[in-house]
Every structure is written in C-alpha cells, then in structure tokens.
Amino acid sequence: MVQYSSPRLSDSFSALSDVTRRGVLEQLGRSDASITELAERFHMTLTGMKKHVGVLEQAGLVTTEKVGRVRTCRLGLRRLEEEAAWIENYRRLWAARFDALDGVIEDLKRKETGHD
C-alpha cells in the first residue's frame, strides 16, 4: 500500500473536515464571493469567516485578492488528485474486504441449506 505523508494532504483533509469550509468551497464553485458575502451566507462574523478562508487558502483550495477594502475569494488552482488517489486506495481496500465477506456469507448460506 502506498503511504502518503504529504503535509499538503494533511492540510487538505484538515480544511475539508469542517462543514462550513466545505460549504464555502461549494459556494465558490458557483461564483466568486467576498468575505463579507460568505460571512452573511453562513451567518458568521467576518473574523470567523476570515479564519475559515485562511485555512482553505493555506491548503491551496482558495485564493483571495484584495481590491480596496474588499477581499474576493475564488477557488484555488490546486486540484485534489493526491487526495483522490488516497481515497481511491482505501476504497479499493474496503471493496476487497467486502467482496471477501460476501464470499464468506455465500459459503455459510450454502452450508446452511446443505448445498455444500
């Protein structure tokens, strides 16, 4: 099994672990938004939203640009290939385990009905 020890992977999963940050990414997937707009949408203080955006920015999932007094957020350029590969690795592992369990269940059913 491939081991992933990338700090970037940890940053991504940490950023994605929060429901508000996932919501921010969904919103930014539809359109860019200012921190103020995001704070209003998620019923948060500006300070709270700035912290969430900062975590997403640290992970490379969001970029911000300040023009005057407005900080606009947009999706970052970084894609999630490394994260998807990590998830796929575990999906295959669990699929193999469930397939093996299905085999055990089928064997037990055959023995139970006497069709050995």
Side-chain angles (χ1 to χ4, degrees):
M1 180 180 297
V2 177
Q3 294 295 318
Y4 294 93
S5 61
S6 166
R8 189 172 101 172
L9 191 65
S10 294
D11 287 347
S12 295
F13 282 122
S14 179
L16 295 171
S17 70
D18 184 85
V19 67
T20 299
R21 290 191 288 266
R22 291 191 306 269
V24 167
L25 290 175
E26 287 179 32
Q27 179 64 37
L28 295 178
R30 291 189 282 278
S31 67
D32 297 350
S34 70
I35 298 237
T36 302
E37 292 166 336
L38 292 171
E40 288 172 0
R41 173 152 171 68
F42 291 94
H43 310 289
M44 297 184 74
T45 64
L46 285 174
T47 302
M49 185 52 69
K50 283 179 188 177
K51 288 180 182 179
H52 281 298
V53 168
V55 171
L56 291 166
E57 203 167 19
Q58 173 74 29
L61 300 173
V62 166
T63 61
T64 63
E65 178 183 11
K66 189 171 185 179
V67 177
R69 294 177 52 175
V70 177
R71 182 167 293 281
T72 301
C73 306
R74 62 183 46 90
L75 288 179
L77 297 176
R78 191 166 91 60
R79 298 178 53 145
L80 298 171
E81 285 94 3
E82 186 178 356
E83 294 79 358
W86 187 89
I87 291 169
E88 177 60 19
N89 191 37
Y90 280 93
R91 189 204 60 75
R92 280 191 302 244
L93 173 73
W94 280 103
R97 288 181 178 181
F98 284 126
D99 288 345
L101 180 59
D102 286 343
V104 169
I105 291 170
E106 287 302 316
D107 287 344
L108 290 172
K109 283 181 181 178
R110 275 196 301 276
K111 289 178 183 175
E112 187 177 88
T113 60
H115 295 100
D116 201 8

